[in-house]
Amino acid sequence: MRSLISKTLDHCRSDDSDFYDFKTGNTKGLVSKSLPQNLQHLLENPDDLFDMDNLFKNSTGTTAGPVTLGDKQYFLKRYNNRSLKHQVKNSLRLTRPFKVLATSAKIHQTGVFVPKVIAALEIKKAMVLDKSYLLTEMLTNIPTAAQHIEFIIKKIQEDAFTAGICESLARLHTAGIAHGDPKMTNLLVFQIGDHMDIGFLDLDGATLRDEPVPENIRIRELARVISSWLKTCRDLRLPHDKLNVLIAKYTKAYEEVCGKDLSSTRLNDRTEYLVKRVRKR
């Protein structure tokens, strides 16, 4: 059976999709039709777009930062080959930008917000992967939960946040999507009155299934949210509930959304483990 990612990418290539196949020189991929045609030639050499003095990240595995195409800013991430072994391995499998594109497309179908993918690209030389790139929209004035947490606590809106993240997580899980790392820096907060919509950043670790996400992975994701909330509060010296109280609040909110009761020893143990692991960093 063909994977859900492959099926989704096939749909992205279809005539009624928002994407089209792009190929110029050694660069190929999928590009959104929203990118003006007169700018498409700039994607032939994505490295030329980087402002090396204005990068958000430049590590062994990733180079990322804002780039300008025409009069609009975007966010460009380059996935670097960490070693020759890593390069050969990636040459034989679907590269990360295309997995993120497929995941993003499936998440949009659930109504949960993630940044729009503008292009998924790769450069191969003699069939060997050189580099791969993900170009997305640039977000402005949308805080992450980590940036917004002090406001949430001071305005006594923690229950609204808890309900919002549990609703978004449950939507993904029911659709067969696991985010992989739903920590506070990867959660986007949209406030609508007393309600909070929660979106997601960083889909590099996300996975897709044809069926709803199994309970053990739901537990891991909820434990990541709870432990990250607690650690962020502690780092900022903000008041917070004890761990057992937080777990009870989140499991109740999650069950109210999708009917799944995740309260268990496994959830308690996983959350405690993550809290302790984070403290050592």
Side-chain angles (χ1 to χ4, degrees), residues 220-240:
R220 293 176 71 90
E221 300 244 289
L222 195 59
R224 184 65 169 125
V225 170
I226 298 168
S227 62
S228 181
W229 171 275
L230 182 58
K231 176 60 169 60
T232 304
C233 286
R234 288 177 175 174
D235 286 348
L236 297 174
R237 293 185 172 87
L238 295 171
H240 57 79

Side-chain angles (χ1 to χ4, degrees), residues 207-226:
T207 56
L208 300 180
R209 290 174 172 75
D210 286 308
E211 64 284 332
V213 172
E215 183 175 293
N216 66 313
I217 296 180
R218 294 181 192 232
I219 285 174
R220 293 176 71 90
E221 300 244 289
L222 195 59
R224 184 65 169 125
V225 170
I226 298 168

Side-chain angles (χ1 to χ4, degrees), residues 22-256:
F22 173 86
K23 189 176 189 325
T24 177
N26 292 320
T27 306
K28 68 176 183 177
L30 287 164
V31 176
S32 171
K33 295 173 183 175
S34 67
L35 185 71
Q37 288 189 350
N38 64 320
L39 301 179
Q40 293 165 5
H41 70 282
L42 298 174
L43 299 179
E44 180 174 357
N45 297 299
D47 282 340
D48 293 343
L49 298 173
F50 282 122
D51 177 357
M52 300 307 291
D53 295 324
N54 193 28
L55 295 176
F56 291 170
K57 185 176 183 180
N58 192 14
S59 66
T60 304
T62 305
T63 300
V67 298
T68 301
L69 282 78
D71 59 357
K72 190 172 180 180
Q73 271 204 325
Y74 298 88
F75 183 78
L76 180 64
K77 178 186 285 190
R78 184 182 72 206
Y79 297 85
N80 303 322
N81 290 308
R82 295 189 293 269
S83 65
L84 178 60
K85 180 180 179 181
H86 187 256
Q87 183 177 25
V88 172
K89 189 175 182 180
N90 280 336
S91 300
L92 301 174
R93 64 185 180 184
L94 189 67
T95 51
R96 184 66 62 188
F98 296 93
K99 293 179 182 178
V100 172
L101 171 57
T103 305
S104 173
K106 298 301 290 186
I107 291 178
H108 277 295
Q109 292 176 11
T110 71
V112 175
F113 179 85
V114 290
K116 182 180 179 181
V117 174
I118 305 301
L121 305 167
E122 64 182 16
I123 297 176
K124 285 188 175 181
K125 298 178 180 179
M127 301 301 291
V128 176
L129 181 70
D130 184 23
K131 299 165 187 172
S132 59
Y133 305 83
L134 182 72
L135 183 70
T136 64
E137 64 177 316
M138 174 64 79
L139 302 180
T140 57
N141 301 321
I142 304 175
T144 65
Q147 295 166 330
H148 205 54
I149 194 168
E150 186 170 0
F151 176 87
I152 292 171
I153 291 173
K154 288 185 176 180
K155 294 296 182 179
I156 317 177
Q157 294 179 324
E158 186 177 345
D159 287 347
F161 174 80
T162 302
I165 180 57
C166 286
E167 180 179 352
S168 291
L169 265 186
R171 281 193 195 181
L172 265 59
H173 294 165
T174 300
I177 305 163
H179 179 272
D181 191 17
K183 59 186 178 181
M184 294 298 112
T185 53
N186 286 338
L187 306 181
L188 297 168
V189 179
F190 301 84
Q191 184 149 356
I192 307 171
D194 293 332
H195 179 74
M196 287 188 191
D197 281 344
I198 305 298
F200 295 92
L201 292 174
D202 193 355
L203 303 180
D204 285 352
T207 56
L208 300 180
R209 290 174 172 75
D210 286 308
E211 64 284 332
V213 172
E215 183 175 293
N216 66 313
I217 296 180
R218 294 181 192 232
I219 285 174
R220 293 176 71 90
E221 300 244 289
L222 195 59
R224 184 65 169 125
V225 170
I226 298 168
S227 62
S228 181
W229 171 275
L230 182 58
K231 176 60 169 60
T232 304
C233 286
R234 288 177 175 174
D235 286 348
L236 297 174
R237 293 185 172 87
L238 295 171
H240 57 79
D241 290 318
K242 292 183 178 179
L243 183 56
N244 63 324
V245 176
L246 283 173
I247 291 174
K249 284 183 176 181
Y250 276 88
T251 51
K252 180 181 178 182
Y254 190 94
E255 184 177 9
E256 287 176 350

